[in-house]
């Protein structure tokens, strides 16, 4: 019998080697973890004993979903408004309906099982999406923040559904309807009680635990809460990972949410490796090899359908096509919560072992495909947008709106965040005409209230720039946080108007050469400007003369 320590050494040793290799080739580490799990699993080299794989998967999920729970603070989700909720609901309902109909009608799977699989396939992997966006510093771009918020809302929906999972046991011969309703009601009451704890008891506990401070207290407390939530859930016959997620949700309502998240991040990275390698090991290659065409169709079909449905849902709430496509690609995978739901349904006898094993293979396949797809999302979305809007009739329709914004010698402000608002305020005070291009309708509404002319659209499109009066403009200022979109805006603007003064804001000094090469007349790197302000203030505190500073 393989010792637990041997399995741990093999797992984390492989994870370290794979992470190093993926970083060296600038590839997503999650892609390497999934592939490595398949290789060392029982269906390939069989380096890990099968009895230990599910334990490692559960343990990885506990820490992974605990950190997801910390992210589930309702405040930032509420700030995004009803459009986010509408897009999430549309996407989930459309995905559940599509998967249920295809599996029930084409593959002749029982409708109750098809519906469960549809619900499991509807959420998207928050871990893969967040890891990709954090690695590229794109979590606060419009498309990135919308995709993350949608994924988190999907997770909340699955948590609620997990509490009602016993209702699907109506078709079972072992329980009466009243007993099933009683269990479901008790589960829902437990969730309501947990929410009450978040509002009342948990802040009091946190305040007393941390009254003496210390990082070690925070780290130990975070790990304890994750494990305690998992243990209590296990005692109540719930999933370990669901209990850990609810524990994170409780702590997410306290003042120390961000600090706890920072302390648990190293454990999250380790749990990412543990979970995704476990998913790779659980994927039964024999199933895939025996029906390769079927599984390839299912994996590619799932990625395609989820992308189309998510893009359509975002377009329905009136987002431009390019960011809608970016959101759609970001939501194409099947979530770790889908895996949790499927395994719980399997334990309850609602899914057969064959269906569950097949779903694990498809889930691992969509995670592999999504990890490969996400790095090329931006250029792919730009290509598809250009191909779709290649019609001259569409371009004329967009350009026709330029008449109402007939300006000359004006400044085009792309993005109406803090930087855009401050610039607009100064331009109004000095009597310089300006026009705002803004994709976020809330920001666009603010710009109109401030008295500015506004075009709601994606400034990476040439027709939107033309509608903003680019041929007659005096300057263009890109104030957005999306570095890829900034590059495209600068390049297209310089191509159309080489004489135009273009000023771009960027976060990183590494973007300077790129933007200057694309045609920017001036680039303001925030990290460089901030460093100047910092050392200037420090030198002044030490009475260094201004001319030296």
């Amino acid at each position: 019998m393989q010792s637990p320590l041997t399995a741990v050494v093999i797992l984390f040793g492989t994870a370290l080697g794979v992470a190093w290799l993926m970083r060296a080739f600038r590839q997503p580490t999650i892609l390497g973890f999934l592939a490595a799990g398949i290789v060392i699993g029982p269906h390939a080299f069989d380096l890990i004993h099968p009895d230990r794989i599910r334990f490692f998967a559960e343990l990885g999920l506990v820490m992974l979903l605990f950190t997801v729970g910390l992210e589930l603070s309702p405040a930032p989700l509420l700030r995004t408004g009803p459009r986010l909720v509408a897009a999430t609901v549309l996407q989930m309902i459309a995905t559940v309906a599509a998967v249920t109909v295809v599996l029930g009608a084409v593959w002749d799977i029982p409708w109750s099982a098809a519906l469960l699989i549809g619900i499991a396939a509807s959420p998207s992997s928050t871990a893969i999406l967040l890891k990709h966006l954090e690695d590229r510093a794109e979590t606060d771009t419009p498309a990135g923040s919308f995709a993350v918020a949608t994924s988190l809302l999907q997770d909340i929906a699955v948590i609620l559904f997990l509490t009602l999972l016993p209702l699907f046991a109506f078709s079972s011969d072992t329980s009466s309807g009243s007993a099933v309703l009683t269990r479901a009601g008790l589960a829902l009451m437990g969730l309501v009680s947990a929410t009450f704890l978040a509002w009342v008891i948990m802040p009091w506990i946190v305040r007393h635990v941390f009254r003496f401070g210390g990082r070690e207290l925070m780290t130990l407390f975070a790990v304890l809460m994750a494990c305690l939530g998992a243990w209590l859930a296990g005692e109540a016959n719930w999933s370990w990972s669901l209990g850990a997620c609810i524990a994170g949700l409780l702590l997410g309502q306290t003042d120390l949410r961000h600090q706890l998240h920072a302390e648990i991040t190293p454990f999250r990275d380790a749990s990412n490796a543990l979970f995704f390698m476990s998913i790779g090991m659980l994927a039964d290659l024999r199933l895939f090899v025996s029906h390769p065409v079927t599984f390839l169709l299912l994996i590619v079909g799932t990625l395609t359908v989820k992308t189309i449905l998510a893009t359509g849902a975002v377009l329905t709430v009136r987002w431009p096509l390019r960011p809608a496509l970016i959101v759609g690609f970001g939501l194409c995978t099947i979530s770790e919560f889908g895996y949790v739901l499927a395994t719980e349904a399997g334990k309850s006898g609602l899914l057969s072992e064959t269906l569950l094993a097949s779903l694990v293979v498809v889930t691992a396949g969509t995670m592999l495909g999504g990890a490969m797809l996400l790095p090329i999302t931006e250029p792919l979305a730009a290509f598809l947008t250009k191909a779709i809007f290649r019609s001259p009739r569409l371009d004329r329709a967009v350009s026709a709106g330029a008449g109402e914004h007939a300006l000359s010698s004006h400044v085009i402000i792309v993005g109406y965040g803090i930087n855009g608002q401050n610039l607009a305020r100064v331009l109004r005070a000095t009597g310089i005409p300006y026009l705002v291009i803004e994709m976020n309708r809330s920001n666009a509404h603010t710009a109109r209230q401030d008295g500015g002319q506004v075009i709601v659209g994606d400034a990476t499109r040439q027709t939107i720039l033309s509608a903003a009066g680019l041929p007659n403009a005096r300057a263009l200022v890109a104030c957005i946080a999306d570095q890829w979109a900034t590059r495209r805006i600068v390049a297209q603007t310089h191509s159309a108007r080489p004489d135009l003064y273009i000023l771009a804001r960027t976060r990183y000094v590494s973007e300077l050469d790129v933007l200057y090469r694309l045609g920017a007349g001036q680039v303001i790197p925030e990290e460089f400007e901030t460093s100047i302000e910092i050392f200037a203030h420090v030198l002044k505190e030490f009475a260094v003369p201004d001319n030296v500073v």
Side-chain angles (χ1 to χ4, degrees):
M1 180 72 175
Q2 186 184 57
S3 71
L5 192 56
T6 302
V8 170
V9 169
I10 293 173
L11 268 175
F12 285 106
T14 305
L16 178 62
V18 165
W20 181 86
L21 193 63
M22 291 293 105
R23 288 292 183 182
F25 287 96
R26 299 180 180 273
Q27 297 298 315
T29 53
I30 287 175
L31 179 64
F33 293 149
L34 286 165
I38 293 172
V39 170
I40 69 173
H43 309 296
F45 286 97
D46 195 17
L47 299 181
I48 305 292
H49 196 278
D51 293 340
R52 305 200 185 281
I53 295 175
R54 289 200 177 273
F55 172 77
F56 285 131
E58 290 279 359
L59 185 61
L61 264 178
V62 164
M63 300 306 297
L64 182 62
L65 295 187
F66 177 74
T67 57
V68 170
L70 286 174
E71 296 282 352
L72 289 177
S73 175
L77 297 177
L78 292 175
R79 283 198 299 268
T80 57
R83 291 198 302 154
L84 171 67
V85 177
T88 305
V89 171
L90 281 172
Q91 180 269 331
M92 294 193 75
I93 290 176
T95 304
V96 171
V99 173
T100 303
V101 169
V102 169
L103 293 181
V106 178
W107 267 279
D108 198 26
I109 293 173
W111 286 102
S112 59
L115 179 60
L116 272 172
I117 294 173
I119 296 171
S122 61
S124 309
S125 178
T126 305
I128 292 177
L129 180 63
L130 271 175
K131 181 66 175 172
H132 166 74
L133 294 174
E134 287 174 355
D135 287 346
R136 298 168 65 95
E138 295 177 356
T139 51
D140 58 351
T141 62
S145 58
F146 197 94
V148 170
T150 303
S151 182
L152 293 176
L153 277 180
Q154 292 172 346
D155 293 342
I156 292 173
V158 177
I159 289 173
L160 293 174
F161 185 80
L162 276 167
T163 63
L164 302 175
L165 189 61
L167 290 176
F168 274 78
F170 266 125
S171 59
S172 173
D173 297 328
T174 59
S175 300
S176 66
S178 59
V180 170
L181 286 174
T182 299
R183 289 200 301 271
L186 289 174
L188 191 58
M189 287 177 59
L191 190 62
V192 172
S193 301
T195 304
F196 176 76
L197 285 174
W199 286 340
V200 179
I201 300 176
M202 190 57 67
W204 180 86
I205 295 174
V206 169
R207 187 168 59 251
H208 282 77
V209 168
F210 297 116
R211 62 185 300 184
F212 301 111
R215 287 187 59 186
E216 65 275 12
L217 281 179
M218 290 192 179
T219 305
L220 290 171
F221 183 71
V223 174
L224 173 64
M225 287 302 299
C227 296
L228 181 62
W231 177 72
L232 290 175
E235 292 297 308
N237 291 322
W238 282 8
S239 165
W240 285 8
S241 48
L242 177 60
C245 185
I246 292 176
L249 183 62
L250 299 180
L251 288 174
Q253 313 311 307
T254 67
D255 294 336
L256 291 173
R257 177 171 70 94
H258 297 291
Q259 184 61 42
L260 286 168
H261 188 274
E263 297 300 330
I264 206 70
T265 295
F267 294 94
R268 185 194 67 180
D269 295 336
S271 63
N272 273 347
L274 196 58
F275 171 68
F276 287 109
M277 288 182 70
S278 299
I279 285 292
M281 289 187 285
L282 287 171
D284 192 343
L285 283 182
R286 293 170 301 183
L287 273 176
F288 183 85
V289 171
S290 60
H291 306 285
V293 176
T294 300
F295 278 104
L296 281 174
L297 286 174
L298 285 171
I299 292 167
V300 174
T302 301
L303 291 170
T304 304
V305 169
K306 289 199 69 176
T307 298
I308 293 172
L309 294 179
T311 301
V314 179
L315 287 173
T316 303
V317 296
R318 302 177 67 186
W319 265 54
L321 179 59
R322 186 188 64 85
L325 282 167
I326 294 173
V327 174
F329 286 127
L331 300 177
C332 67
T333 56
I334 295 180
S335 170
E336 46 279 350
F337 264 112
Y339 168 78
V340 173
L341 178 61
T343 53
E344 289 303 304
K347 292 176 183 177
S348 303
L350 300 172
L351 287 179
S352 66
E353 289 186 8
T354 303
L355 280 177
L356 181 57
S358 300
L359 183 58
V360 171
V361 172
V362 175
T363 299
T366 63
M367 288 178 171
L368 277 168
M372 290 187 288
L373 185 62
L374 283 174
I376 61 169
T377 291
E378 294 279 2
L380 186 57
F383 171 78
L384 291 173
T385 302
K386 186 176 181 180
I388 292 170
F389 282 99
R390 190 170 290 164
S391 167
R393 185 174 60 183
L394 284 172
D395 285 342
R396 284 197 298 271
V398 176
S399 299
E404 62 182 286
H405 305 292
L407 296 173
S408 63
S409 297
H410 61 290
V411 178
I412 300 174
I413 303 174
V414 180
Y416 204 68
I418 296 298
N419 293 319
Q421 291 175 25
N422 288 336
L423 175 58
R425 188 178 299 116
V426 172
L427 294 177
R428 280 197 305 273
T430 53
I432 298 174
Y434 70 90
L435 183 143
V436 175
I437 301 177
E438 176 56 67
M439 199 163 55
N440 185 298
R441 291 184 176 274
S442 176
N443 289 347
H445 179 68
T446 302
R448 288 196 181 99
Q449 286 184 323
D450 291 341
Q453 297 189 49
V454 183
I455 289 180
V456 179
D458 182 6
T460 63
R461 285 193 55 215
Q462 187 65 50
T463 48
I464 295 294
L465 292 171
S466 298
L470 181 62
N472 302 318
R474 178 73 177 272
L476 180 141
V477 181
C479 301
I480 56 178
D482 188 335
Q483 65 183 32
W484 190 92
T486 300
R487 291 182 183 184
R488 187 168 177 82
I489 291 167
V490 169
Q492 292 201 130
T493 302
H494 181 69
S495 175
R497 284 282 310 275
D499 60 316
L500 188 70
Y501 176 72
I502 304 172
L503 188 147
R505 162 237 181 170
T506 184
R507 285 184 171 181
Y508 307 110
V509 175
S510 60
E511 285 289 297
L512 281 172
D513 291 339
V514 175
L515 292 172
Y516 279 127
R517 190 166 58 249
L518 291 173
Q522 184 68 48
V523 182
I524 308 297
E526 290 183 358
E527 64 178 359
F528 183 66
E529 296 292 326
T530 303
S531 69
I532 292 175
E533 285 294 312
I534 290 172
F535 78 65
H537 284 289
V538 171
L539 292 179
K540 287 179 181 179
E541 178 66 23
F542 282 87
V544 176
D546 287 343
N547 65 310
V548 176
V549 174

